[in-house]
Amino acid sequence: MKIRTRFAPSPTGYLHIGGLRTALFNYLLAQKNKGNFILRIEDTDKKRYVKGATKNLIKILNLVNINPQEGVLLKNNKIVEKGEYQPYIQSKNIKKYKEKALELIKNNKAYYCFCSSKRLAKIRKKQENNKQVPKYDEYCRNLNKKEISKKLKDNKIYVIRFKIPKNKIVEAKDLIYKNINVKTEDLDDFIILKSDQYPTYHLAVIIDDNRMKITHIIRGEEWLPSLPKHILLYQAFNYNLPIFSHIPLLLNSDKSKLSKRQGDVTVEDFIKKGYLPIALINYIALLGWNPGNDREFFTLDELIKEFSLEKVNKSGAIFDINKLNWFNAEYIRNIVKKRGEEYNNLIKLTTKFLPNNKYKIKDILKLFSSRINYLAELKELSSFLFKLPNYNSKMLIFKKSTKNKTIQGLELLLNKLENINNWQKEELNTILQKLTIDNNLTPGDIFWPLRVALSGLEKSPSPTELLEILEKKESLIRIKIALDKLK
């Protein structure tokens, strides 16, 4: 059996971190087993549709190297469909869904429901008052053919509901949640075709997963309550059941469901801040999945090799922004340190955050790569390099030094540095050390005021790093400004 998985988002906005994890797990399983990973777009909810969301979603998946082999793709920045099971965009298949709903009616497994929203609301309120579980009261389930024909002839608004079998136990199997048994008396006759003649998720997903020969369905835990309904639909159509896996919810640190209220939750949010795609993928892979050891860093190829659904647990996974920051920081540091093929990509990515200072990108990364969590922080951290802040002269004086000694130290520095040609960090450090010792001064008289003079900040990189990146001319100008402030 060739494994076929799918990611089937709705184009209702940006890609949620939870959605990315679902896509990733589906992709990893298909790739590991030399199967197919399919992207399908489920756009039957017209009210929530967002223009441009599909194209944006594909671009994000491509950016993080989750590339579908089949389904909805981008070619020359245009949405195209590739594969033998077209259409992969549900709104193009509306006629087929209605045909399938009518097929169920013909086989006495579904029925027309003409109940108004007002009547349904009244029933629900009554059930709530009686502390009953709200569910449809099956009012239209047993309408006779004559009544139905008349209502259809009179163009009465209707939906089509699935007819839940009576007195049955639905046996569901899930790779993560194992065996699940549900009594049909606990289910209500759910809608499969809406009044606008569009299918509900329940109907469309069954039709398409069967039509596209999907073998494994990996989706969020929030769909677990729908599993018995879906199994009943599979049985009603005489379809073969796929293998189900419902992955745990992503949670905030307080165990609440991950939401925008507590911070960024979309992939775009993190990309815009300069989180590296591989760092995002690596961290997200570990949310709910455990490789079976203490290893944390994986390439995408290594994740494909190691991944298995058996190692996914059912407890909610905490999305820890501090942990993601640590992952991203480690990736940035290692890339800068190794200077391998990923380094050039990092340079290009960093340029997007510092477009006006392209010529300094390598120096900035060298100086700050060990001090940042994500690339967007570079703009603020490096701003003093291009414009000296207007700082208070008191900052120049170290707490164990004096104004006179500070002036003395800066004057000695100015005179010495004006005659230096080998402007390298190591050479400059040797000069500063010798200047301190030869003049019976302390580092607080030399290194401290020099660092403040060059940065205008209380906290910054070392003075020799600053001298090197600012270069000779700018460094001397800033030392003179410091002296002017003190005098």
Side-chain angles (χ1 to χ4, degrees):
M1 175 182 72
K2 184 172 185 177
I3 286 182
R4 291 172 59 80
T5 67
R6 49 71 167 173
F7 178 49
S10 299
T12 55
Y14 296 108
L15 180 59
H16 190 279
I17 283 291
L20 178 62
R21 186 187 57 164
T22 301
L24 176 63
F25 283 9
N26 278 282
Y27 175 79
L28 294 176
L29 182 68
Q31 291 295 104
K32 180 174 183 175
N33 294 280
K34 295 182 171 50
N36 272 28
F37 169 65
I38 296 125
L39 177 64
R40 184 172 74 224
I41 299 298
E42 300 190 340
D43 61 341
T44 58
D45 190 339
K46 294 187 291 183
K47 291 178 181 177
R48 297 176 63 224
Y49 176 78
V50 174
K51 189 177 180 181
T54 298
K55 186 179 284 189
N56 180 69
L57 189 144
I58 301 169
K59 286 180 178 178
I60 289 294
L61 289 178
N62 292 342
L63 183 65
V64 297
N65 293 313
I66 299 177
N67 300 305
Q69 296 101 340
E70 183 181 328
V72 186
L73 313 172
L74 275 184
K75 187 176 182 180
N76 299 324
N77 205 36
K78 290 184 178 180
I79 294 172
V80 297
E81 293 182 73
K82 176 187 175 184
E84 60 181 300
Y85 301 103
Q86 297 183 35
Y88 294 92
I89 298 173
Q90 285 187 338
S91 59
K92 293 183 177 182
N93 208 27
I94 299 302
K95 187 178 177 182
K96 175 60 72 175
Y97 303 128
K98 185 171 182 180
E99 286 175 3
K100 286 293 181 179
L102 293 174
E103 180 185 312
L104 290 178
I105 289 179
K106 184 180 178 182
N107 294 328
N108 197 31
K109 292 177 179 177
Y111 59 91
Y112 293 102
C113 174
F114 300 94
C115 293
S116 67
S117 55
K118 186 177 180 181
R119 180 183 182 277
L120 294 173
K122 190 176 179 180
I123 294 164
R124 179 175 288 271
K125 189 170 184 180
K126 184 178 178 181
Q127 289 170 334
E128 287 173 351
N129 289 339
N130 293 332
K131 296 184 178 178
Q132 297 172 307
V133 177
K135 58 190 289 191
Y136 181 58
D137 65 353
E138 302 180 5
Y139 181 80
C140 292
R141 181 166 172 143
N142 298 310
L143 290 177
N144 61 49
K145 288 183 179 180
K146 189 176 179 181
E147 289 176 290
I148 294 168
S149 295
K150 185 177 187 309
K151 288 179 184 292
L152 290 174
K153 190 176 179 181
D154 292 342
N155 292 319
K156 293 286 185 182
I157 294 172
Y158 68 85
V159 298
I160 295 179
R161 290 181 182 272
F162 182 72
K163 190 177 281 190
I164 296 287
K166 297 293 183 180
N167 303 315
K168 275 190 68 175
I169 300 290
V170 183
E171 296 180 356
K173 290 185 178 179
D174 184 274
L175 277 185
I176 297 165
Y177 283 84
K178 307 308 177 187
N179 296 329
I180 303 165
N181 295 327
V182 177
K183 295 176 182 178
T184 54
E185 65 193 65
D186 295 329
L187 304 173
D188 68 342
D189 291 352
F190 57 94
I191 296 170
I192 56 174
L193 196 77
K194 295 177 285 188
S195 58
D196 61 4
Q197 304 300 290
Y198 270 63
T200 61
Y201 170 81
H202 303 302
L203 178 65
V205 74
I206 302 304
I207 302 302
D208 284 340
D209 283 339
N210 178 74
R211 183 170 63 86
M212 296 174 188
K213 293 182 167 52
I214 303 301
T215 62
H216 291 69
I217 293 174
I218 306 171
R219 60 188 179 188
E221 178 190 294
E222 64 269 24
W223 290 110
L224 198 59
S226 298
L227 183 56
K229 297 177 182 179
H230 294 177
I231 287 174
L232 287 172
L233 273 171
Y234 272 98
Q235 292 171 348
F237 284 118
N238 292 317
Y239 292 162
N240 292 325
L241 284 174
I243 295 169
F244 292 96
S245 300
H246 289 82
I247 56 180
L249 290 173
L250 293 187
L251 306 174
N252 293 304
S253 55
D254 63 0
K255 303 286 181 76
S256 62
K257 187 177 178 181
L258 187 65
S259 67
K260 190 76 177 173
R261 290 192 304 275
Q262 295 201 32
D264 297 326
V265 295
T266 72
V267 181
E268 289 86 343
D269 288 334
F270 293 102
I271 295 297
K272 284 176 183 176
K273 284 187 174 181
Y275 286 84
L276 306 188
I278 184 56
L280 268 176
I281 289 297
N282 194 155
Y283 175 62
I284 287 168
L286 298 172
L287 295 177
W289 172 75
N290 191 315
N293 52 43
D294 293 332
R295 184 179 175 188
E296 291 187 294
F297 288 91
F298 295 86
T299 65
L300 189 54
D301 286 341
E302 288 167 341
L303 284 173
I304 290 168
K305 184 179 178 182
E306 295 289 331
F307 184 77
S308 74
L309 287 169
E310 286 72 24
K311 292 179 181 177
V312 175
N313 60 56
K314 62 183 178 182
S315 58
I318 302 293
F319 183 84
D320 184 351
I321 188 63
N322 294 319
K323 185 73 172 181
L324 173 58
N325 285 342
W326 176 78
F327 259 98
N328 201 58
E330 285 294 305
Y331 269 100
I332 292 171
R333 278 192 281 273
N334 287 331
I335 291 170
V336 172
K337 185 178 178 181
K338 291 177 182 177
R339 298 288 181 104
E341 58 183 66
E342 292 176 311
Y343 182 65
N344 289 332
N345 291 330
L346 182 62
I347 296 293
K348 288 178 185 176
L349 195 56
T350 307
T351 302
K352 294 178 182 178
F353 296 92
L354 298 166
N356 299 323
N357 304 304
K358 296 178 183 179
Y359 68 100
K360 284 284 188 183
I361 294 293
K362 289 183 179 180
D363 288 331
I364 290 169
L365 278 173
K366 182 180 176 183
L367 193 60
F368 296 108
S369 62
S370 63
R371 297 174 169 90
I372 60 171
N373 292 316
Y374 46 88
L375 296 177
E377 291 178 320
L378 287 172
K379 186 173 183 180
E380 185 176 347
L381 276 176
S382 66
S383 62
F384 73 88
L385 297 173
F386 309 100
K387 185 179 180 181
L388 181 67
N390 184 20
Y391 60 95
N392 192 309
S393 62
K394 291 179 181 178
M395 282 173 56
L396 291 159
I397 305 168
F398 185 60
K399 59 185 177 181
K400 293 183 180 180
S401 184
T402 64
K403 182 177 179 180
N404 289 336
K405 281 194 172 183
T406 301
I407 292 172
Q408 180 190 358
L410 287 172
E411 287 178 336
L412 287 167
L413 278 166
L414 187 62
N415 293 331
K416 188 68 178 177
L417 293 175
E418 281 180 331
N419 298 309
I420 299 299
N421 293 319
N422 183 13
W423 204 264
Q424 300 297 320
K425 186 171 69 173
E426 292 75 15
E427 176 69 16
L428 291 165
N429 190 57
T430 302
I431 291 166
L432 296 188
Q433 295 280 5
K434 191 172 186 305
L435 202 64
T436 303
I437 295 167
D438 290 351
N439 292 277
N440 199 28
L441 295 172
T442 68
D445 303 322
I446 292 282
F447 286 83
W448 176 275
L450 176 58
R451 186 184 58 74
V452 175
L454 297 174
S455 68
L457 303 170
E458 289 186 353
K459 295 179 180 180
S460 67
S462 71
T464 51
E465 288 177 305
L466 295 175
L467 285 169
E468 188 176 58
I469 194 171
L470 287 168
E471 300 178 354
K472 184 175 180 177
K473 183 180 177 181
E474 180 64 21
S475 296
L476 295 178
I477 288 171
R478 293 190 178 197
I479 293 170
K480 288 175 184 176
I481 290 172
L483 282 167
D484 288 342
K485 281 179 176 284
L486 289 167
K487 292 178 179 179

